[in-house]
Amino acid sequence: MKKVILLLAAACCVYQHGFAMGKEKERELVSTFLWSDILALPQDKRPKIALVLGGGGARGLAHIGVLKVLEQESIPIDMVVGTSVGALVGALYCAGLSISEIEQLGERTGWNKLSDISTAALVKLLVAEELLSSARMEKYLEGYLGGKRFEDLNIPFACVATDIQTGEKIIFKEGEVLIAIRASSTVPGLFKPVEYRHRFLVDGGLVDNTPTDIAKLMGADIIIAVTLKADFSKFSLDNVLKILNQSIFIQGMVIDKELLKLADMVITPELVDISAIDLWKSKECMDAGEIAARKSAEELKNMIIGRTMKKIYGQQ
């Protein structure tokens, strides 16, 4: 291990001088050498990397494209933190589902599989003020997550929900995964709050839409945040679902202004024309995530190389 560290240190000097002198070809070759050796290091010898997946309804399918690129580029992910759809995608990935499996799931998922939305249910909502249930989501995902608990996951994972009675941020890091992601993604005013330990929980986007602060608390050295911005002026507001979703995500964008300052890298897929309820645009969302992550991959690798060298030098 000491030999590897010395080789990394020597290569880093060449890397830095090559960059200073503008020798891009040499810098690229040394960067490739450094990257392969950094991947061979044990986790405690390099920075702890967190991936933070924000809320955004159907736009969150872009997270799948981001994960695909990070995996292809062998960028290590030591923890995942998510809100709402970010919690859903993050949990599936941490549970060990392959990217292709999550892609297929994203393509097949519709509102009928995640909730009891129907004409009759919407009439009840408007006339009898009976909220819809998201229990179908839990049942649907049970086939993929089973009875997994947080400690059963392959990668450490956390997600955020909101206590609708007190406004408190509730952080899930233990217990059953299914109830946590269901709580994190329950749209208030449309779906029944998830009852959990005498609390009534709804979408975490109300208080922490892109939870970089949680990743920091969990000891992350490098935080990669995926935020799901959109041009809200492009969407019609002709039903309850659209208005409620837009209200949540406008608030989420305001909160994100501070949260994103904690991120070392922000990946923002181009999702301007996709609304939070456009689940049928899964391919467009995943492609947008892939394109955005591809643009950031080289910069992210260089950041990891630099931070790893700082960590190694600090241990000598």
Side-chain angles (χ1 to χ4, degrees):
M1 181 54 61
K2 190 172 182 180
K3 183 178 179 181
V4 172
I5 291 173
L6 289 172
L7 283 170
L8 281 168
C12 185
C13 291
V14 177
Y15 175 80
Q16 290 172 334
H17 290 310
F19 177 67
M21 296 166 63
K23 297 179 180 178
E24 291 302 321
K25 189 65 177 176
E26 289 89 335
R27 177 176 178 272
E28 185 179 334
L29 288 170
V30 176
S31 177
T32 301
F33 167 79
L34 281 167
W35 184 246
S36 62
D37 271 9
I38 282 172
L39 292 178
L41 288 172
Q43 194 280 319
D44 64 340
K45 296 295 182 183
R46 61 168 175 77
K48 188 179 291 186
I49 302 168
L51 179 63
V52 177
L53 304 176
R59 293 191 293 273
L61 295 170
H63 293 321
I64 301 170
V66 172
L67 282 164
K68 184 176 183 178
V69 172
L70 296 181
E71 191 168 280
Q72 288 173 344
E73 296 293 330
S74 299
I75 292 170
I77 301 298
D78 301 304
M79 66 180 77
V80 177
V81 186
T83 291
S84 197
V85 65
L88 172 57
V89 174
L92 292 170
Y93 185 71
C94 292
L97 271 74
S98 69
I99 295 298
S100 60
E101 287 175 312
I102 301 175
E103 278 183 312
Q104 290 170 18
L105 179 57
E107 289 168 359
R108 293 196 304 264
T109 299
W111 285 109
N112 62 315
K113 293 178 180 176
L114 300 180
S115 70
D116 63 352
I117 285 182
S118 64
T119 302
L122 290 175
V123 168
K124 281 185 179 180
L125 173 67
L126 296 173
V127 177
E129 297 184 354
E130 182 177 331
L131 293 171
L132 307 178
S133 172
S134 62
R136 187 173 292 180
M137 175 195 293
E138 192 170 333
K139 189 168 183 61
Y140 176 61
L141 294 174
E142 193 172 0
Y144 300 93
L145 292 170
K148 283 187 184 292
R149 300 176 65 82
F150 280 77
E151 57 267 30
D152 300 325
L153 300 175
N154 298 347
I155 300 171
F157 171 70
C159 65
V160 179
T162 305
D163 184 325
I164 197 64
Q165 288 185 309
T166 65
E168 291 176 85
K169 174 173 21 182
I170 306 301
I171 303 167
F172 283 94
K173 292 194 293 183
E174 59 182 23
E176 294 182 12
V177 175
L178 278 172
I179 195 165
I181 58 177
R182 181 180 159 206
S184 184
S185 53
T186 291
V187 180
L190 185 64
F191 296 104
K192 295 174 184 176
V194 174
E195 293 187 46
Y196 180 75
R197 294 183 179 177
H198 308 295
R199 291 181 181 272
F200 294 88
L201 305 180
V202 296
D203 199 301
L206 292 175
V207 291
D208 206 344
N209 193 55
T210 309
T212 53
D213 53 335
I214 308 305
K216 186 68 76 175
L217 286 172
M218 291 172 66
D221 300 307
I222 293 177
I223 297 175
I224 308 164
V226 186
T227 182
L228 306 169
K229 293 182 180 178
D231 184 351
F232 294 118
S233 66
K234 292 183 178 291
F235 308 134
S236 64
L237 299 173
D238 52 8
N239 64 48
V240 173
L241 181 58
K242 288 180 181 179
I243 292 172
L244 284 170
N245 270 286
Q246 186 138 320
S247 300
I248 292 169
F249 297 125
I250 288 172
Q251 180 169 336
M253 285 178 64
V254 173
I255 296 169
D256 277 352
K257 287 181 180 179
E258 289 302 314
L259 290 171
L260 292 177
K261 292 177 183 177
L262 296 175
D264 298 281
M265 170 75 66
V266 178
I267 297 174
T268 309
E270 290 289 334
L271 301 163
V272 175
D273 297 321
I274 298 174
S275 82
I277 65 171
D278 289 344
L279 285 175
W280 53 89
K281 294 183 179 179
S282 59
K283 185 68 166 61
E284 292 175 52
C285 292
M286 288 187 276
D287 286 348
E290 192 170 343
I291 291 166
R294 191 78 62 196
K295 289 177 181 177
S296 302
E298 200 59 36
E299 183 183 350
L300 183 54
K301 285 183 180 180
N302 288 333
M303 179 189 297
I304 295 168
I305 289 170
R307 299 282 184 90
T308 300
M309 296 315 302
K310 284 182 180 178
K311 185 165 186 173
I312 289 172
Y313 280 133
Q315 291 174 348
Q316 290 180 326

